[in-house]
């Protein structure tokens, strides 16, 4: 199924798609997301098989077989090798197919614009990012161990989306308090309901608002005991805040002023790798590069991140790479 190949073979160049690939690729993306919403990938990756029970489910299963992701044995369906890869990386599919669709749709009316404002489906992006994060539990384990080994404090996740990462960390660092902030009110409202349901509301507090440092403090900061924050984390947001604002160091400096006692930073982000042509970048899919180019959201090199860390007195304690360009760094200072 060539249309989804870039997800698997990241060096494949665009340019030799057939009309069939284009149409079937789009359909395959929709089927992957629907199957995810039905819990199929979780079941399949857990080692079980699925047995469609309605005509609609049967049609989706057959579509996934045609795409090469499932095989059929009797009434039950199993993962193929490619299906395993797609299931593990389904967050990237959800992000592109559902999360970014409103941005790509705007291209039609934007022939003469320099950039298109990023217009996303926030709930879909939130879920996609949490699924992307869950692919690498050992990265969480390392962050959780670093927090748990320290004197208990409060960890804030800046741009926490559906609080998926906070939930995972709350399990790993049982004496830590957690706080999450995201600009999307509805995502925060839904995540708060979910935390209540899970009985985690006493350990994880969520607030809605912007974490972009501005001349005036955001309203949500007034509800926070700023001195209590000892770890500040942010995943897949700093590049955007740095693009909209005055670079990486300016954003980090703002956060350090908000939280004067922060002694650990955990930054996860997609790095720009220095290559002559973007098809040489080891992206999961070239679509990720196109999205950033049309929205004008800049990506930054490792050198740019590390220069900002050093400028502000932070030392890299751990650097964890996921497919080279997704990097999580734990930073400490005296
Ligand atoms: C790419 S997602 C990453 C989500 C999450 N940090 C993760 O990695 O799983 C970016 C998140 O930042 C949020 N966001 C964007 N601009 C923001 C801002 N100025 N302040 C707070 N959150 C923001 C979005 O709503 C979205 O949930």
């Amino acid at each position: 199924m060539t249309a989804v190949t870039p997800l698997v073979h990241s060096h494949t160049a665009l340019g030799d798609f057939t009309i069939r690939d284009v149409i079937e690729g789009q359909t395959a993306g929709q089927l992957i997301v629907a199957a995810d919403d039905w819990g199929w990938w979780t079941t399949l990756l857990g080692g079980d098989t699925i047995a469609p029970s309605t005509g609609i489910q049967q049609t989706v299963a057959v579509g996934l077989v045609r795409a090469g992701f499932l095989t059929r044995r009797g009434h039950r369906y199993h993962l193929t090798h490619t299906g395993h890869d797609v299931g593990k990386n389904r967050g990237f599919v959800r992000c592109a197919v559902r999360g970014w669709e409103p941005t790509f749709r705007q291209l039609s009316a934007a022939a003469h614009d320099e950039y298109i404002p990023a217009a996303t489906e926030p709930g879909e992006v939130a879920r996609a990012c949490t699924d992307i994060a869950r692919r690498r539990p050992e990265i969480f384990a390392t962050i959780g161990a670093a927090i748990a080994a320290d004197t208990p404090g409060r960890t804030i996740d800046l741009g926490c989306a559906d609080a998926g990462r906070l939930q995972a960390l709350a399990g790993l660092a049982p004496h830590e308090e957690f706080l999450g902030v995201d600009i999307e009110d509805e995502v925060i409202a839904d995540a708060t309901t979910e935390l209540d349901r899970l009985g985690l509301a006493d350990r994880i507090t969520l607030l809605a608002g912007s974490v972009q440092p501005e001349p005036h403090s955001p309203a949500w900061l007034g509800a926070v005991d700023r001195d209590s924050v000892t770890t500040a984390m942010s995943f897949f947001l700093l590049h955007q805040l740095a693009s909209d604002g005055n670079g990486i160091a300016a954003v980090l400096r703002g956060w350090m002023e908000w939280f004067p006692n922060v002694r650990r930073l955990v930054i996860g982000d997609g790095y720009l790798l220095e290559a002559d042509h973007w098809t040489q970048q080891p992206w999961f899919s070239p679509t990720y590069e196109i999205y950033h180019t049309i929205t004008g959201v800049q990506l930054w090199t490792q050198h740019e991140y590390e220069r900002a860390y050093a400028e502000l007195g932070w030392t890299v304690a751990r650097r964890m790479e996921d497919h080279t360009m997704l990097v999580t760094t734990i930073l400490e200072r005296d």
Side-chain angles (χ1 to χ4, degrees):
M1 193 66 209
T2 354
V4 292
T5 303
L7 187 78
V8 182
H9 303 292
S10 50
H11 290 285
T12 305
L14 285 173
D16 46 9
F17 280 17
T18 63
I19 181 70
R20 176 190 162 111
D21 294 330
V22 172
I23 295 172
E24 296 312 302
Q26 133 115 354
T27 306
Q30 297 290 353
L31 300 188
I32 289 165
V33 175
D36 191 26
D37 289 332
W38 298 341
W40 282 11
W41 300 112
T42 307
T43 302
L44 289 161
L45 290 168
D48 291 329
T49 55
I50 49 149
S53 58
T54 65
I56 288 273
Q57 290 180 22
Q58 187 67 35
T59 305
V60 169
V62 170
L64 293 171
V65 170
R66 284 190 194 144
F69 306 149
L70 301 182
T71 51
R72 181 176 179 167
R73 275 181 230 143
H75 295 300
R76 306 198 72 87
Y77 291 79
H78 303 243
L79 274 183
T80 62
H81 185 72
T82 316
H84 187 273
D85 211 6
V86 165
K88 270 220 105 154
N89 292 300
R90 63 195 186 279
F92 292 95
V93 179
R94 179 181 294 275
C95 187
V97 168
R98 290 269 177 88
W100 289 346
E101 195 275 341
T103 296
F104 284 106
R105 184 179 284 261
Q106 291 180 91
L107 276 175
S108 302
H112 302 290
D113 298 344
E114 196 178 351
Y115 294 116
I116 292 170
T120 56
E121 289 289 343
E124 299 285 356
V125 171
R127 167 131 180 230
C129 287
T130 292
D131 284 342
I132 290 168
R134 285 202 182 108
R135 295 156 52 253
R136 295 296 300 268
E138 72 279 16
I139 294 182
F140 271 110
T142 306
I143 301 169
I147 295 172
D150 199 355
T151 315
R154 177 166 281 130
T155 292
I156 187 166
D157 188 4
L158 298 143
C160 65
D162 60 7
R165 292 178 192 262
L166 286 169
Q167 277 180 41
L169 288 173
L172 296 165
H175 303 297
E176 187 81 354
E177 299 287 329
F178 292 93
L179 181 62
V181 184
D182 198 281
I183 202 165
E184 294 292 343
D185 303 15
E186 268 187 44
V187 171
I188 288 292
D190 291 349
T192 303
T193 306
E194 180 65 5
L195 290 180
D196 273 337
R197 194 185 66 79
L198 295 170
L200 284 170
D202 57 332
R203 302 230 7 248
I204 308 176
T205 306
L206 301 182
L207 298 169
S210 176
V211 302
Q212 176 76 279
E214 308 272 4
H216 299 290
S217 294
W220 62 267
L221 201 56
V224 174
D225 174 3
R226 298 193 295 123
D227 290 338
S228 70
V229 174
T230 44
T231 296
M233 317 190 295
S234 189
F235 299 92
F236 304 125
L237 178 59
L238 184 52
H239 67 282
Q240 185 190 323
L241 299 179
S243 304
D244 297 344
N246 294 313
I248 299 167
V251 177
L252 294 178
R253 194 176 289 113
W255 292 347
M256 289 161 70
E257 284 167 13
W258 287 351
F259 309 114
N261 297 326
V262 83
R263 56 179 183 253
R264 181 179 301 103
L265 277 182
V266 184
I267 303 294
D269 220 337
Y271 281 14
L272 180 67
L273 302 177
E274 286 159 293
D276 292 338
H277 196 261
W278 62 262
T279 54
Q280 293 171 268
Q281 303 259 1
W283 297 93
F284 290 92
S285 161
T287 295
Y288 279 73
E289 173 100 9
I290 296 172
Y291 175 82
H292 286 92
T293 310
I294 62 178
T295 57
V297 174
Q298 199 182 328
L299 289 160
W300 308 74
T301 63
Q302 180 183 345
H303 178 68
E304 288 169 314
Y305 281 93
E306 294 192 351
R307 196 175 51 199
Y309 299 149
E311 183 186 326
L312 298 168
W314 292 96
T315 309
V316 175
R318 275 303 288 269
R319 193 170 171 281
M320 295 169 281
E321 287 191 2
D322 175 352
H323 278 246
T324 314
M325 50 136 327
L326 297 178
V327 179
T328 300
T329 312
I330 303 181
L331 299 131
E332 286 168 2
R333 65 172 178 177
D334 296 330

